[in-house]
Amino acid sequence: MKVRVRPWGVLAIVLILSIVLSGIAYGALGDRLLSKGSKGPEVIELQKKLVQLGYVVGKTDGKFGSKTEAAIRRFQKERGLRVDGLAGTQTVKELKLLTGQSTNSAGKAVGNKNIDINLLARCVNAEARGEPYLGQVAVAAVLINRISDPAFPKTIADIVYQPRAFSSVDDGQINLPPSADAMRAAQEAINGSDPSGGAVFFFNPAKTKNKYIWSRPQIKQIGNHMFTK
């Protein structure tokens, strides 16, 4: 007995196979190594995460081209990863970490309604302009850490404009437009990165003799800033 397969049936089979094969070829971001020339939804997700952190990738079109590779290399360099331009396990892991849910240093979720990213970036720009990028992220993290500390106000605006909290408010530098790095540092801190180690204060040891700030338990120094509890 012969089985007759109608033309439309053949087309349906081909379509189903193509969908199945595409699902095999492209899984979730991190399932395979992505490099220049890679294509697919994983690349789109990769590009979106890079854009979220402030990197320029051109169009988020699912095509891993020169701009995406350059963005990956810059990200790797700034995060202390091996600079190879490839979206491998460690690079993707770090990207996912920095573009996940917003948390404070204790790992608790921080509501975005309490965080004005533009104001946060302006404060980073005013207080840490010229500091290493990691130091800028740390300054942003300090402000976010204060939200969960009962000794401080509960919004970025109230923290920034708390009387005598930041010299940049007194001298007007808070009103300067933030740099691209300051914006990216603010976003990274909002996404949970905290190079300060949970600090709620920072200061320049060469520029202050304030006894109170010097009495705070010191965590680490990044660039010209000391970060303290």
Side-chain angles (χ1 to χ4, degrees):
M1 179 178 178
K2 295 183 178 181
V3 178
R4 297 178 62 187
V5 179
R6 297 180 182 277
W8 62 265
V10 174
L11 289 174
I13 292 171
V14 170
L15 179 61
I16 291 171
L17 284 173
S18 66
I19 293 173
V20 170
L21 289 174
S22 66
I24 295 173
Y26 302 123
L29 178 61
D31 286 351
R32 67 183 178 116
L33 178 69
L34 300 177
S35 60
K36 191 173 181 179
S38 295
K39 298 178 181 180
E42 297 160 282
V43 179
I44 292 177
E45 187 178 352
L46 171 69
Q47 291 171 327
K48 286 182 177 180
K49 288 185 179 300
L50 288 166
V51 169
Q52 185 178 339
L53 293 174
Y55 295 92
V56 177
V57 300
K59 295 181 179 179
T60 54
D61 55 5
K63 298 177 182 178
F64 197 128
S66 298
K67 289 185 178 180
T68 299
E69 182 183 35
I72 285 288
R73 287 182 178 277
R74 186 179 176 189
F75 173 77
Q76 290 171 329
K77 182 177 180 181
E78 292 176 347
R79 299 306 303 173
L81 302 171
R82 180 183 177 187
V83 182
D84 55 15
L86 306 175
T89 303
Q90 289 302 316
T91 297
V92 170
K93 180 180 179 181
E94 192 76 2
L95 274 171
K96 287 183 175 180
L97 173 67
L98 299 179
T99 54
Q101 184 181 24
S102 301
T103 60
N104 57 31
S105 61
K108 295 181 180 179
V110 175
N112 286 336
K113 66 180 181 180
N114 294 335
I115 301 177
D116 179 338
I117 185 172
N118 186 267
L119 178 57
L120 179 60
R122 278 162 41 205
C123 190
V124 170
N125 183 70
E127 294 287 332
R129 189 166 56 251
E131 291 295 307
Y133 177 70
L134 200 63
Q136 295 184 47
V137 179
V139 166
V142 165
L143 274 73
I144 292 175
N145 290 340
R146 289 186 177 188
I147 290 177
S148 60
D149 191 308
F152 295 94
K154 298 304 176 188
T155 69
I156 290 296
D158 288 337
I159 287 169
V160 169
Y161 291 109
Q162 193 173 19
R164 297 183 299 279
F166 296 100
S167 60
S168 59
V169 173
D170 298 330
D171 63 22
Q173 290 193 58
I174 190 68
N175 299 314
L176 296 175
S179 66
D181 278 349
M183 281 295 294
R184 193 151 48 84
Q187 183 63 63
E188 187 168 326
I190 288 172
N191 290 332
S193 181
D194 184 7
S196 78
V200 290
F201 294 100
F202 66 91
F203 68 98
N204 187 329
K207 293 185 177 181
T208 183
K209 295 182 179 179
N210 183 285
K211 291 182 178 180
Y212 175 77
I213 199 68
W214 273 102
S215 72
R216 306 302 302 176
Q218 297 180 3
I219 301 173
K220 66 174 70 173
Q221 183 163 348
I222 304 175
N224 293 312
H225 284 143
M226 179 65 72
F227 292 86
T228 71
K229 289 287 189 180

